[in-house]
Amino acid sequence: MTEEIFPGVELGEGTVVEPGARIGVPPRGAAPGELPTIIGPGSRIRSGTVIYAGARIGARFQSGHGAMIRENNVIGDGCSVGTNAVLEPGNRIGDGTRVHSHCFLENVTLGRRVFLGPGVVFTDDPHPPCPRYDECVGGATVEDDASIGGNATILPGVRIGARSLVGAGSVVTRDVAPDTVVAGSPAREKRKTSELVCAPGHFAKPYEWREALDS
């Protein structure tokens, strides 16, 4: 088994493409090489990954096995997309963001250093498809440093504020304020992130380490 790299693919220096990966696959209606595909330096594309032509990915990118990244995705530096995650067209992902295994995103905007736990699903269609689909609500927006627990579902058009935390298994039906913890179905505010406690006692408060990085 060998990797398959289509015309029009630009791989940065030191990027490794493992056997079985396919890079620059032309989307429907496009010829091979018609849309440029860019992957920055120092990246690793693991076996089974499929990246369509028209994707633009920054430096130090990591993909899990079997990840799929469709056309018209823009991914920043230092990001990862986990095993069997699916990025449909139209996502914008900021630097340092981690998309864990089995996530599903379409038309989603993620800020910097966002964390998505395994199995997080974003929806962008408020009802079954219709001829005016493109005029509907669209995908969610997640601001910088927000974290979303595993198996959460995020409904169309929702905005999740910076530094917020969404509990595992939650269904987010409305906007989440910055610095807020929400959980449940539908997700409701539980407390502020400043009220959280570091259970093992490694830090005086959760995310203290992040503040040190930002200083």
Side-chain angles (χ1 to χ4, degrees):
M1 182 185 295
T2 60
E3 74 278 4
E4 185 177 12
I5 300 177
F6 286 78
V9 173
E10 178 183 324
L11 297 177
E13 183 178 359
T15 288
V16 175
V17 180
E18 294 185 358
R22 305 180 73 214
I23 313 296
V25 177
R28 184 171 54 190
E34 180 180 341
L35 300 174
T37 307
I38 298 172
I39 300 175
S43 298
R44 190 173 193 94
I45 312 302
R46 290 185 170 82
S47 60
T49 296
V50 178
I51 299 176
Y52 277 68
R56 304 175 66 90
I57 299 173
R60 304 180 308 284
F61 173 73
Q62 299 272 336
S63 77
H65 300 284
M68 188 184 78
I69 300 172
R70 292 284 302 275
E71 69 275 10
N72 191 27
N73 274 285
V74 179
I75 300 174
D77 295 337
C79 294
S80 64
V81 173
T83 295
N84 294 327
V86 175
L87 273 60
E88 292 287 351
N91 300 296
R92 300 293 181 265
I93 298 177
D95 296 344
T97 285
R98 182 175 184 185
V99 177
H100 221 298
S101 303
H102 298 283
C103 290
F104 179 91
L105 294 79
E106 185 168 10
N107 292 317
V108 171
T109 298
L110 303 179
R112 297 172 298 167
R113 300 178 299 277
V114 170
F115 177 87
L116 304 184
V120 173
V121 172
F122 288 83
T123 61
D124 73 331
D125 189 356
H127 52 73
C130 79
R132 302 184 69 171
Y133 166 81
D134 290 340
E135 300 173 47
C136 286
V137 175
T141 298
V142 182
E143 297 178 354
D144 294 351
D145 297 305
S147 297
I148 301 178
N151 293 316
T153 299
I154 315 301
L155 268 58
V158 166
R159 177 175 289 271
I160 296 176
R163 301 170 302 280
S164 59
L165 174 63
V166 176
S170 297
V171 179
V172 181
T173 62
R174 56 187 179 183
D175 290 355
V176 176
D179 301 297
T180 301
V181 179
V182 300
S185 178
R188 301 188 185 281
E189 182 174 338
K190 302 299 181 180
R191 59 182 62 85
K192 297 299 183 182
T193 54
S194 59
E195 301 174 68
L196 294 172
V197 175
C198 177
H202 299 311
F203 299 96
K205 58 181 180 178
Y207 306 124
E208 183 181 52
W209 53 269
R210 189 165 60 199
E211 294 170 5
L213 290 175
D214 291 339
S215 61

